[in-house]
Amino acid sequence: MSRPNYNTYNRIGETAFGKMEKLSGELLSMTYGSLVTQLLKDLDHVQVVNEQLEKMGFNIGIRLVDEFLAKAGVGACQDFRETCEVIARVGLKMFLGISGEVGGWNSEMSACSISLPENPLCHDFVELPPALGDLCYSNLLCGVVRGALEELHMKVNVFFLKDTLKGDDATEIRVELKQILAETFVDDEDN
């Protein structure tokens, strides 16, 4: 079975994006900024805020998989590589209106980077003060990717490799496959 080419994924992403209800990018960015600000006020340490943002994203990612599978029109992926392409070109487009580029594969094809043309959680409204240099402001995105992949039975590490908020020239998320999880089935008749 051959892989769909990247242009096919781009078209699928555009179609899926067209079917979704839209939210203003500026509204999303400012609402997310308010959430991060409140977490910074409520929690004592930046690292705890980073963990909380990732955990929130993880829970979102688990739930987004069902909607993605129902609306995207994408068949089952053959491997981790194809799954990352679908996330970057279809999933990100469908839910955030941007498409990512996948690259930087390791020799085992078990780790890659997803480069984003812009960070949809920041737009032009966010600047990190020097005192918050350790804050992973958009860590929610890493959690979403981790949660979605875990729901698809892939245990991964996801983190920002580059972040324009920290002065890097691009926004790049690293995705590292750690394990394919076994599917477990619960027989409802036994309960």
Side-chain angles (χ1 to χ4, degrees):
M1 184 175 199
S2 66
R3 284 181 205 279
N5 68 32
Y6 301 142
N7 290 331
T8 301
Y9 289 139
N10 289 338
R11 281 192 304 277
I12 292 170
E14 288 291 334
T15 301
F17 180 66
K19 293 178 184 177
M20 298 299 292
E21 291 184 33
K22 307 297 184 285
L23 173 71
S24 162
E26 289 82 13
L27 177 61
L28 173 65
S29 181
M30 292 192 305
T31 303
Y32 182 73
S34 297
L35 170 72
V36 174
T37 300
Q38 192 61 50
L39 286 173
L40 287 166
K41 289 178 183 177
D42 293 347
L43 303 172
D44 292 337
H45 302 286
V46 169
Q47 187 56 35
V48 176
V49 173
N50 291 339
E51 291 167 6
Q52 187 64 33
L53 289 170
E54 200 278 342
K55 182 178 176 181
M56 292 168 69
F58 178 84
N59 291 327
I60 292 168
I62 287 172
R63 286 162 181 80
L64 283 180
V65 168
D66 289 333
E67 185 170 2
F68 176 82
L69 293 174
K71 294 182 179 177
V74 176
C77 295
Q78 297 176 23
D79 54 27
F80 181 64
R81 178 180 179 189
E82 186 177 0
T83 302
C84 289
E85 289 290 347
V86 169
I87 288 171
R89 296 176 185 275
V90 183
L92 290 174
K93 182 68 176 184
M94 182 174 170
F95 292 111
L96 295 173
I98 62 166
S99 293
E101 291 291 326
V102 179
W105 285 97
N106 65 358
S107 59
E108 296 85 21
M109 300 303 282
S110 63
C112 67
S113 296
I114 300 174
S115 297
L116 304 177
E118 62 184 83
N119 186 331
L121 299 179
C122 297
H123 286 279
D124 297 327
F125 305 116
V126 180
E127 290 182 19
L128 288 181
L132 295 176
D134 291 336
L135 177 66
C136 294
Y137 181 85
S138 301
N139 219 24
L140 184 97
L141 293 176
C142 293
V144 168
V145 171
R146 186 174 73 86
L149 287 172
E150 191 153 317
E151 187 69 7
L152 297 172
H153 306 288
M154 295 179 201
K155 188 168 188 66
V156 293
N157 286 342
V158 184
F159 56 91
F160 276 92
L161 196 58
K162 294 182 179 180
D163 190 347
T164 53
L165 279 177
K166 295 187 178 190
D168 294 324
D169 60 343
T171 299
E172 193 171 315
I173 298 172
R174 189 76 179 161
V175 183
E176 300 174 343
L177 177 64
K178 296 300 172 192
Q179 177 184 4
I180 301 291
L181 302 171
E183 290 189 49
T184 55
F185 297 97
V186 176
D187 188 357
D188 289 338
E189 293 179 13
D190 290 342
N191 294 331

